[in-house]
Amino acid sequence: MNLAVLLPDMPRRRGASLPRLDYALLSAVAALFSLGLVMVASASMPVAERLGLGIFHFPMRQGFYLLLGLVLGLGVLRIRLMWWQRGSPFCVLLALGLLAAVLLPGIGVEVNGSTRWLNLGIFRLQVSEPAKLLVMIYLAGYLVRHGEDVRDSAAGFVKPLGLLTIAAVLLLMEPDFGAMVVMMTTALVMMFMAGVGLWKFASLIVLAATAFAVLAITSPYRLERLTTFLNPWADPFNSGFQLTQSLIAIGRGEWWGVGLGASIQKLFYLPEAHTDFVFAVLAEELGLVGVLVLLGLYAFVVFRAYNIAVVAERGGDLFAAYLAYGISTWFGLQALINVGVNTGLLPTKGLTLPLMSYGGSSMLVTCVAVAILLRIDYETRCTVQNVPATGTEPARRRRRVR
C-alpha cells in the first residue's frame, strides 16, 4: 500500500524496508467501530420510532460522524509530532477556553440538567471530549520540558496539577464528574510513567479521596448515585431503575445471547440504550461470548497502544511516549468505567463506551486520538529503523548537501 498520500513525509528509499502503519491496531479499531455501528442501529430503533424519526436515523448519523472522524483523522495523521509538542502549551488554554465557554449563558446547551455542549450546527460538541485530549497533549509536553522538576521536587509536581485542577473545577460546574475522574486519573498515570515517586501520589490520593467524599456528601444527586449502585433493587422503579434494567439485560444474554436485534430491554425499559448503556444491549443480544470478544478487542487496543509508548520511550521520543501512555490509559479507563457502570460495579458516570457508543463528539475525538497513536508508531518506526522521514529537518539537510 502506497502511503505517500496519507504520509507526505514518508521515507523514499528504494529497496529499503519502509515503516508502515500498524495494521493490527487499525484492524482492532475498525472492528470496534463496525460492531459499535451495528449495536447503535439495534439499540436505537425503538427510540427513533418513538420520536417519529426513521428507524435508521441514529446509525446514519453515527455513520456520518464516523466518516467525518475518518477525514479528520487522515488530516491529523499528516501532522508531525513536533508540531503537537511545540503547540502543547496552547492546548491547555484551548481546553480551558472550551470548558469555560460552555458555562456562559446563551452559549452552552443544557440537556437533562447538565450544560456540557456547544451547538455547532451540524452537531453538538461535548467539550469534555476534546478537552481530555488537549490536556494530555499539554501534559506530555510539560513532562518533557520540566521532567526533572516534576520528578525531584514537590513544587514541580504540583505546578501542572494547578491548571488541571482548574479544568476539573470547570468540569464539575457543568457537571461532568465522570470526565473529570478520567482526565485526572489519566494525568496521574502519565506522571507516574514519567518517573514521579509513589509518595507524591499517596499524598495526592488522600487529598483527592477527601475532596471526592466532600463533593458526594454536598451534592444530593451524586450521593444518590453512590448509594443507589450498592443496592439498586431497593428502589428498582425510581433511583435504581436504570441499573436494574441493565442487569436484567445482561442476565438475559446468558452464553450466546437472545440474537441480534432481539433485545427486550431496549424497548423503552433501558434508558440511554444506544449511548451510555449500549454494552448492556450487546450483552443481551450477543451474550457472554460477545462480551468476551468486545473486551478482548479493547484489551488488544490498550496493549498495542502501551507497546507503542514503550517503543517510543526506548527510542528517546519522550513526548510521543507520554502522549501514547495517556491515550491508551484514557481508552482503557473509560471502557472499564462504562462496563463497570453497566454491570453495577461502579456508580453511574454518564461516560460513553469508546469507539462504540452513539455520539459525534466522542467519535470525532476518538478518531483524532487513534490517528495520533498511528503517527507516534510511524515516527517511532522511522527512528528505530534509522530511516528519517523526508519531511524532517535532517532529511532536508541531506538533500541540500547532495
Side-chain angles (χ1 to χ4, degrees), residues 142-342:
Y142 187 91
L143 290 173
V144 172
R145 296 191 303 272
H146 306 285
E148 291 186 6
D149 289 339
V150 174
R151 287 186 288 268
D152 298 338
S153 67
F157 175 70
V158 172
K159 282 180 181 178
L161 292 178
L163 289 174
L164 297 185
T165 301
I166 296 175
V169 171
L170 292 173
L171 283 170
L172 289 175
M173 293 174 65
E174 294 181 5
D176 196 344
F177 187 75
M180 187 272 291
V181 170
V182 171
M183 183 190 70
M184 295 300 291
T185 304
T186 302
L188 292 178
V189 170
M190 292 175 66
M191 297 176 79
F192 175 76
M193 300 307 292
V196 176
L198 288 176
W199 69 269
K200 296 179 182 178
F201 288 105
S203 58
L204 185 63
I205 289 172
V206 172
L207 291 175
T210 304
F212 289 161
V214 172
L215 287 172
I217 295 173
T218 57
S219 178
Y221 92 95
R222 290 195 190 101
L223 184 60
E224 183 181 359
R225 284 186 173 187
L226 288 172
T227 55
T228 297
F229 95 100
L230 295 175
N231 186 17
W233 303 102
D235 192 7
F237 298 106
N238 190 13
S239 60
F241 182 79
Q242 194 169 34
L243 180 53
T244 55
Q245 298 304 313
S246 176
L247 293 174
I248 291 172
I250 294 172
R252 290 192 72 247
E254 298 183 352
W255 284 97
W256 300 100
V258 298
L260 187 63
S263 168
I264 298 297
Q265 297 308 115
K266 70 183 181 184
L267 302 176
F268 312 121
Y269 293 104
L270 180 62
E272 308 295 339
H274 60 300
T275 55
D276 298 350
F277 283 83
V278 70
F279 173 83
V281 178
L282 180 143
E284 183 180 5
E285 296 187 348
L286 303 183
L288 179 62
V289 173
V291 168
L292 292 178
V293 170
L294 178 68
L295 296 180
L297 287 172
Y298 276 117
F300 179 82
V301 169
V302 173
F303 171 79
R304 200 75 173 187
Y306 263 101
N307 186 63
I308 289 172
V310 170
V311 175
E313 188 172 12
R314 290 175 180 172
D317 194 343
L318 296 181
F319 174 79
Y322 298 152
L323 184 53
Y325 282 132
I327 293 174
S328 53
T329 301
W330 167 29
F331 282 175
L333 180 62
Q334 188 157 323
L336 182 64
I337 291 176
N338 182 275
V339 172
V341 167
N342 277 251

Side-chain angles (χ1 to χ4, degrees), residues 60-78:
M60 288 180 64
R61 287 184 64 88
Q62 184 78 339
F64 169 75
Y65 297 145
L66 177 57
L67 181 62
L68 188 60
L70 291 176
V71 173
L72 188 60
L74 291 177
V76 169
L77 190 61
R78 298 165 65 91

